[in-house]
Amino acid sequence: MLEQIKGKLIVSCQALEYEPLYGSNLMARMALAAFQGGAAGIRANTYDDIVEIKATVNLPVIGIVKRDYKDSSIYITPTIKEVREIEAAGAEIVALDCTLRKRPNGEKLEDLIKAIRKEFPKLLIMADISTVEEGINAYRLGVNLISTTLSGYTEYTLSKEGPDIELVKELVSKVSIPVIAEGKIDTPEQARLCLEAGAHAIVVGGAITRPKQITERFIKVINL
């Protein structure tokens, strides 16, 4: 499966409750459009969306469950509870926040990864990180892939704009597992630069599947 996505585009099909395209049926249609356009994989949020997407397209799915916990800012697959939902839905890869921030219930990342390995030995683990240090830590804990998803979104990387190509380059030089470029990739040219930096594959979401965000980018430039 890692060979299947190598050098290819993965499309993130997500919509939260307050967004116009919220709904598993709509996300499945979005995934179908991505599949017809040539996508090699899908990233999806929630059990229902993953199930609907898997029934619609024959592509590998990176599954997440976004859930808020009062004692932690981590919300991308925070605990084993969310991992179980993702596995039950049929995703081949589970992506989870592997930043060094405090986790829900005071849990440790290493314990979560061990629990996933024990309960779901065939499930691949993708680490969503925001810094080189976090990527190397996740690599040492035994994940299968690293993604730059959270660069520009953690409180200590908020100043970063656009795709973090330097982070991709550094991680590629320091780990021996696939590095996925994700986060703030708005154009095909930026995606190409990420591949040239050594990314195993590219994940693009908002620039393809969130028309509200796309419209806002146009409006911002027009208003200048």
Side-chain angles (χ1 to χ4, degrees):
M1 184 169 53
L2 294 180
E3 282 301 310
Q4 184 179 340
I5 64 173
K6 187 174 182 179
K8 303 286 182 62
L9 173 68
I10 298 163
V11 176
S12 182
C13 299
Q14 299 180 45
L16 300 175
E17 292 183 8
Y18 58 84
E19 294 181 294
L21 296 184
Y22 178 73
S24 300
N25 60 328
L26 293 174
M27 285 302 100
R29 304 304 292 178
M30 193 70 80
L32 178 60
F35 169 71
Q36 291 178 349
I42 303 293
R43 178 167 166 134
N45 173 39
T46 76
Y47 172 89
D48 290 341
D49 282 15
I50 295 168
V51 168
E52 195 76 24
I53 287 168
K54 291 297 291 183
T56 304
V57 296
N58 184 25
L59 289 176
V61 170
I62 299 168
I64 65 171
V65 171
K66 292 180 175 178
R67 187 164 289 147
D68 290 315
Y69 285 80
K70 291 182 179 180
D71 61 342
S72 174
S73 56
I74 287 176
Y75 77 113
I76 297 178
T77 320
T79 74
I80 193 67
K81 176 183 177 181
E82 290 77 31
V83 175
R84 288 173 180 143
E85 294 173 28
I86 292 163
E87 195 278 338
E92 290 83 2
I93 301 172
V94 57
L96 48 129
D97 184 322
C98 288
T99 62
L100 297 176
R101 297 177 292 178
K102 179 187 174 185
R103 305 193 71 81
N105 310 314
E107 295 172 358
K108 294 182 179 180
L109 177 60
E110 59 195 87
D111 292 334
L112 174 58
I113 291 174
K114 286 178 183 177
I116 296 170
R117 289 283 181 235
K118 182 178 180 179
E119 194 167 339
F120 307 113
K122 294 183 179 180
L123 189 63
L124 298 183
I125 302 173
M126 185 163 88
D128 286 350
I129 54 86
S130 67
T131 67
V132 173
E133 180 186 9
E134 291 169 348
I136 292 174
N137 181 64
Y139 169 64
R140 289 173 176 166
L141 292 178
V143 301
N144 302 100
L145 310 88
I146 297 172
S147 178
T148 59
T149 313
L150 292 170
S151 177
Y153 295 99
T154 53
E155 53 271 27
Y156 39 88
T157 63
L158 286 175
S159 61
K160 294 185 179 296
E161 297 182 3
D164 198 339
I165 297 173
E166 288 306 311
L167 178 56
V168 173
K169 287 181 180 178
E170 281 199 69
L171 286 171
V172 167
S173 70
K174 293 180 178 179
V175 302
S176 59
I177 58 175
V179 174
I180 308 298
E182 180 176 3
K184 303 185 179 184
I185 302 172
D186 293 332
T187 68
E189 291 75 20
Q190 289 175 335
R192 187 68 203 175
L193 288 173
C194 290
L195 285 175
E196 291 173 355
H200 185 84
I202 309 295
V203 176
V204 177
I208 296 174
T209 59
R210 281 191 157 126
K212 178 176 175 287
Q213 289 184 10
I214 298 167
T215 303
E216 288 171 346
R217 281 198 296 273
F218 274 89
I219 297 297
K220 183 178 180 180
V221 175
I222 289 169
N223 287 343
L224 291 176

